Amino acid sequence: MSEPFIPRLSAPVEPTTTGAHAGTTTLQDRKYRQWFKGTDIDGDGVISWKDVRLMGERYIAARGASQSATAARLNQELNAFWTHVIAPMDQDGDGQVDLREMTEGFRRALTDPGLYPQQIQLVADCYFDLIDLDGDDKIDQEEFQQIFGLAGNLPFEHCATVFTALDLDGSGTLDRREFHQALAEFFYGSDPDAPANDLFGRVAD
């Protein structure tokens, strides 16, 4: 088990305090919308447990790892992620979460980067291990493109640009800390220039 990751965001989170975006920023709303598009696997405009399960299966299939222990662990953590993070956003009790419910839910839940270890890290570690099939504890550009370009929602032609920007030490690979830093910046950060903003596809203005 890796040590809990405490993110250091490139800019402090400065929530707005008025209007429909109270508790978050417009940039964060746009990032949440981009993540929603990638998670709504069947394209019906809502996220259900089926979508979360299919999201995991899509990544597992891309890596040809359906029988791996990592795949089993990912499914377990995604179940917990659905139960404890996504499902509570279902305001009308219909068993699914629409964009408004998810956005408002993320505004409420993702306010403290210090909670990253409890909210995101366990699922993120599973994804890292799934991508890093050679077990060197690093993700190279080819592995990144396979997952975020083929199985994710990042246009393939943008993968190299995003990867290079996330490679903070210029090593040509993403280590586990850089991977967590990118996810923490995406979900909690408010810096309009952060490269992680486009991790799940280019965020529209």
Side-chain angles (χ1 to χ4, degrees):
M1 179 68 65
S2 62
E3 292 296 320
F5 171 77
I6 305 301
R8 296 180 179 178
L9 303 185
S10 55
V13 177
E14 298 178 354
T16 59
T17 57
T18 60
H21 296 285
T24 189
T25 68
T26 301
L27 170 63
Q28 286 170 310
D29 281 351
R30 298 201 309 268
K31 289 192 292 183
Y32 299 159
R33 183 168 62 243
Q34 189 64 33
W35 185 85
F36 183 93
K37 287 169 57 180
T39 307
D40 179 17
I41 303 299
D42 57 14
D44 63 354
V46 295
I47 295 175
S48 65
W49 162 237
K50 175 185 175 183
D51 289 299
V52 175
R53 177 175 54 80
L54 288 175
M55 178 175 62
E57 290 178 357
R58 180 175 62 178
Y59 280 76
I60 291 167
R63 298 302 281 159
S66 60
Q67 302 303 315
S68 70
T70 299
R73 183 162 58 93
L74 175 62
N75 287 327
Q76 179 180 352
E77 293 300 339
L78 283 174
N79 184 39
F81 183 67
W82 166 260
T83 301
H84 300 297
V85 179
I86 302 298
M89 300 176 185
D90 175 18
Q91 298 176 9
D92 56 12
D94 64 354
Q96 52 195 15
V97 175
D98 61 25
L99 178 59
R100 179 189 60 80
E101 289 174 321
M102 188 216 65
T103 300
E104 292 179 1
F106 274 167
R107 289 176 193 165
R108 292 190 300 270
L110 303 183
T111 58
D112 181 2
L115 295 178
Y116 178 88
Q118 299 98 301
Q119 294 177 320
I120 307 292
Q121 180 169 340
L122 292 178
V123 175
D125 271 328
C126 291
Y127 276 113
F128 185 96
D129 292 337
L130 186 66
I131 300 169
D132 176 34
L133 282 186
D134 59 9
D136 65 352
D137 214 35
K138 298 179 185 299
I139 297 171
D140 61 31
Q141 185 172 320
E142 182 179 356
E143 290 172 323
F144 182 86
Q145 287 178 323
Q146 183 177 13
I147 289 297
F148 287 94
L150 297 179
N153 202 37
L154 183 64
F156 196 79
E157 64 271 19
H158 298 153
C159 284
T161 300
V162 174
F163 178 87
T164 299
L166 296 179
D167 179 15
L168 301 177
D169 61 5
S171 66
T173 61
L174 300 181
D175 61 25
R176 195 176 295 268
R177 177 164 289 274
E178 288 170 321
F179 185 72
H180 282 308
Q181 183 68 34
L183 286 168
E185 187 70 61
F186 179 87
F187 283 108
Y188 298 88
S190 60
D191 179 2
D193 298 319
N197 292 345
D198 293 333
L199 185 60
F200 295 97
R202 182 164 291 176
V203 176
D205 293 330

